[in-house]
Amino acid sequence: MVLPRFTLLVHAIVSVVPTLQSCLPDASLPQLRENISIDGVSMPVGIWVLDWPSAEIIAHIAAIIIEEELGYNVSLDGWGCCSHTAIWALSGCPDGQECNTVDASTGARRHHLALEAWSVSSGSSSLQARDKFGSDAATNLGSIGFKGL
């Protein structure tokens, strides 16, 4: 079966990439990378990672570009089971589950980006998050261009 081999390959790539010095030519040096400031708190760009292989790959590609090309620190976090967890995490819920207030430990939203979250399966969560968090709720910025099967 092809899928288990593909999954093993993805995990091998994902576990090796962080140990490399850099992936891009002229990459920003780690010690020169900066944090962003959100809700008055300095932090790395937070990427909420969904837990299927293609979502893990695209999250790591985004992290490499943000760190090495743009010069910002990145935190990969989450491993949410489903697309709706990205809506809640980006709206400020600390564990990707529906909540009523942002993460009480920091008072700030620490997840800022999620990739490969399928809007078809997260539509009602998006509306609920907008009702609870208003303009601070996660916003769908559109497709990265791949239509899927």
Side-chain angles (χ1 to χ4, degrees):
M1 188 167 168
V2 174
L3 187 57
R5 288 185 190 145
F6 176 73
T7 302
L8 289 174
L9 174 64
V10 167
H11 288 289
I13 291 170
V14 167
S15 65
V16 169
V17 168
T19 64
L20 300 175
Q21 289 291 331
S22 64
C23 291
L24 301 176
D26 301 320
S28 170
L29 296 172
Q31 62 271 25
L32 298 179
R33 295 178 189 153
E34 299 179 6
N35 283 341
I36 59 171
S37 181
I38 300 286
D39 299 330
V41 178
S42 177
M43 66 185 81
V45 174
I47 299 178
W48 181 261
V49 183
L50 295 162
D51 73 351
W52 47 90
S54 56
E56 290 179 40
I57 290 171
I58 197 73
H60 282 273
I61 291 170
I64 290 166
I65 293 169
I66 293 167
E67 287 179 332
E68 296 186 14
E69 194 63 31
L70 300 178
Y72 291 100
N73 293 310
V74 172
S75 170
L76 294 166
D77 191 21
W79 313 105
C81 70
C82 321
S83 294
H84 73 271
T85 64
I87 298 294
W88 294 112
L90 270 60
S91 296
C93 299
D95 59 1
Q97 299 303 311
E98 183 175 352
C99 69
N100 293 312
T101 59
V102 297
D103 185 355
S105 66
T106 64
R109 291 163 289 140
R110 56 188 179 93
H111 299 106
H112 315 107
L113 177 66
L115 298 157
E116 203 172 302
W118 301 357
S119 59
V120 172
S121 63
S122 58
S124 64
S125 293
S126 184
L127 294 174
Q128 291 169 350
R130 189 155 319 281
D131 287 343
K132 289 184 180 195
F133 298 105
S135 63
D136 287 336
T139 301
N140 183 347
L141 299 178
S143 171
I144 60 173
F146 179 71
K147 299 287 186 196
L149 299 175

